[in-house]
Amino acid sequence: VSTAGRLEQPLFAAHGKRNKLHPPHLTEELLRTVPRAEYYEIDGKHNDFMKIDDPVFGELSTAVARWFASHL
C-alpha cells in the first residue's frame, strides 16, 4: 500500500464482494491510494464465477473490455 500511490498508470481492479480469501475492504483500501484506479465489484466470491457461460463472468468481461477501450 505504501508505494501504490506512486502508480501513474490507470489501474482496473475487480474483486468478489463475498471473497473470504481476500476480503474486499483490502482492495478498496489499496485503491484509495491509487490516483487513477477503477474498482469493479463482482457478484461472487473468489473465482466461483470464472466460467465462460456464467453471466457474472460475461459482465466482468464487458467491464474489462470497456476499461481497455477507454484507456488505450
Side-chain angles (χ1 to χ4, degrees), residues 4-72:
R6 291 187 270 167
L7 185 65
E8 295 178 14
Q9 297 80 5
L11 174 68
F12 180 90
H15 201 105
K17 64 182 175 184
R18 293 184 308 278
N19 186 329
K20 293 180 181 175
L21 184 60
H22 310 288
H25 75 273
L26 297 178
T27 299
E28 294 166 1
E29 179 182 324
L30 172 67
L31 294 182
R32 279 194 289 275
T33 69
V34 179
R36 298 176 63 197
E38 182 176 329
Y39 179 69
Y40 181 85
E41 188 173 70
I42 300 165
D43 187 18
K45 297 176 186 174
H46 181 68
N47 60 2
D48 56 311
F49 55 88
M50 300 287 279
K51 299 176 218 90
I52 196 71
D53 60 343
D54 189 316
V56 174
F57 184 71
E59 292 166 9
L60 171 61
S61 298
T62 299
V64 170
R66 284 186 186 143
W67 185 88
F68 272 109
S70 68
H71 289 90
L72 294 179

